[in-house]
Amino acid sequence: MAASNQKGAAAIAANANAPPLLDLTIDNITPNTIRINSQSNNARLTYVMARLVTHLHDFARETRLSTDEWMASLQFLIACGQICSDVRNEFILLSDVLGLSLLVDNINHPKPPLGTEGSVLGPFHTHDAPVLANGSSMTSDPDGEPMLAVCTVKDTQGKPIAGVTIDIWETDSSGHYDVQHADRDAPSERCVMVSDDQGRFWFKGLKPVSYPIPHDGPVGKLLERLNRHCWRPAHVHFMFSKDGWDKLVTALYLRGDPYETSDAVFGVKQSLVIDLDKVDKETAEKYGVQEGSWLLKHDFVLTTQEETEKLRDQLAVEALEKLGLRLKLVDHLPVPDLD
Amino acid sequence: MAASNQKGAAAIAANANAPPLLDLTIDNITPNTIRINSQSNNARLTYVMARLVTHLHDFARETRLSTDEWMASLQFLIACGQICSDVRNEFILLSDVLGLSLLVDNINHPKPPLGTEGSVLGPFHTHDAPVLANGSSMTSDPDGEPMLAVCTVKDTQGKPIAGVTIDIWETDSSGHYDVQHADRDAPSERCVMVSDDQGRFWFKGLKPVSYPIPHDGPVGKLLERLNRHCWRPAHVHFMFSKDGWDKLVTALYLRGDPYETSDAVFGVKQSLVIDLDKVDKETAEKYGVQEGSWLLKHDFVLTTQEETEKLRDQLAVEALEKLGLRLKLVDHLPVPDLD
């Protein structure tokens, strides 16, 4: 390489790992790209990039991806990025409809038999929901069917967990989250609660309804081309956080929903499908709601961060062995085992 | 499934291919996603989506992708999309630095021995370049080193091809394309020419310089994390189009450039590395340029669309057989061979 006072050239010349990149072909582009990406001293980044490049290139080779398809894919990604805003995340939606979100949740949050299962986060969680006291109403929609939710959060031994932060969000009666309304000026149908010393939390919301995921953007167009519907069964989202406990992102689904077994984002698990009751007289008086309105009762079970990590590590080691990959876990994440 | 008058449910209920999507796991999410994506009657789309989902899921399984890494990836994609504009395409840049662009070009434009090889399109081609008459100057930069380019475009038998449209673009002397200047009000260092009846085209430009690809965005940050430099060796882009001829996207690179063997986007091929001459007295008079200025002479060779398609099909069939995939070509693109 010619002498150069340009910093980049000096850096690359100094790195003996860098292969000469010239006359790259369908057959040798992958190992060369992996080698040039392996200069960071971050073993995890190197491994993730190597797998990414391998799969990306294999995809192109197996499909003999055409130039037009390549360009259309890039345009699709641009469109996804450009429609994103503070309150719209088209890439989460894309991940959801491709089954990636469900997969990543399953990998990261394995549950021992007693723990409440997870579900997809979806693109509609926000960080501006108000913290409400137990018993508050989180809806400003006069048209929905009122629903009282009375829940607990406990550990796998049945012991209540106090001080758990619970994010709760659902659509309004029209099947839209607040952020989907152009004139949104304040959060609605969402709140943050904290479990009391008996692990309880309760609030007034709406009976959830089935709704289509946003289908006016590129992901909606993709579903249409795939002849897939864009509906999700009625559900309420819950996210539980407390130091020392595995973060639980989940949802409860209403039994009998027409989309119970065809959720566009693959989120439904049988253990999360529930029946609503009706509020009886005593409950109505106790919680200050109308007798005969809907009642959601549910007991959530958290697992400790420690037991989840242990289970996740164990499942990772088993899965990677099954895949024939020689890896070790560093900070709970696989990297090549070069020893 | 419960009766429903909702269009989506009716459509899905009517489709016997749709699997019940419930309790999906790390192990069964992939076949289920593929099945739900297989309802379009478009065999090519079904195949491409199946390979995409398989690779995406395998990537997550092999890396045990963490929730934080997943979210960081989505944020990265959003950032790429949001920085795109009419004159900036961060996803082409991403495809370039991951070696995908080079791979897709190689797959789609195989060259018989005599044909000029292709190179990456890059993100800087525009559609507003002026059509200039032979001999025109395409630069408005007073600071660069003037270069006369005298070229021909011929077929593999050496016969001139008239009426070929040639897009030509390069950076200015500062290493920036016109679109990288915020105050760009007209195209510069770019033009469109048409070959004359002897297959000739000639123009006045600048001796190209090495330059960094845009590194103020997410792709630049990625390269930095990977400890990769962001430089490209000095080159001029050419794109040749004429009905009946395989579209040729290529570039000529200057021999001896410090980045000749470390191009950040893998575009260099030895057959595209050239030496510049100096303009002699006779040439200076003929073309109206200064004696002693730089001279680029090159003969480009196009292949017919027919011979390229034939070669591409043949290479595709061979490669897919080698991969053990049972596919057939429909419209020159692989789809599963179910017969």
Side-chain angles (χ1 to χ4, degrees), chain B residues 125-140:
Chain B
H125 176 253
T126 70
H127 294 277
D128 67 353
V131 179
L132 298 184
N134 270 321
S136 305
S137 170
M138 68 163 187
T139 177
S140 60

Side-chain angles (χ1 to χ4, degrees), chain B residues 145-161:
Chain B
E145 297 181 46
M147 180 182 79
L148 170 69
V150 180
C151 306
T152 65
V153 51
K154 298 181 177 171
D155 69 13
T156 50
Q157 269 78 53
K159 211 180 128 206
I161 313 175

Side-chain angles (χ1 to χ4, degrees), chain B residues 290-309:
Chain B
Q290 208 168 344
E291 189 181 341
S293 57
W294 296 104
L295 175 64
L296 181 159
K297 289 189 76 171
H298 200 73
D299 299 314
F300 295 90
V301 179
L302 300 192
T303 54
T304 65
Q305 201 172 330
E306 198 185 337
E307 68 185 316
T308 306
E309 266 173 11

Side-chain angles (χ1 to χ4, degrees), chain A residues 21 44 51 62 69 261, chain B residues 21 44 51 62 69 261:
Chain A
L21 300 174
R44 175 66 180 167
R51 297 317 303 157
E62 290 167 6
E69 291 169 334
T261 59
Chain B
L21 300 174
R44 175 66 181 167
R51 297 317 302 156
E62 290 168 6
E69 290 169 334
T261 59

Side-chain angles (χ1 to χ4, degrees), chain B residues 100-116:
Chain B
L100 180 65
S101 306
L102 187 278
L103 176 59
V104 169
D105 184 70
N106 278 4
I107 287 171
N108 284 278
H109 300 283
K111 300 297 173 198
L114 293 172
T116 298

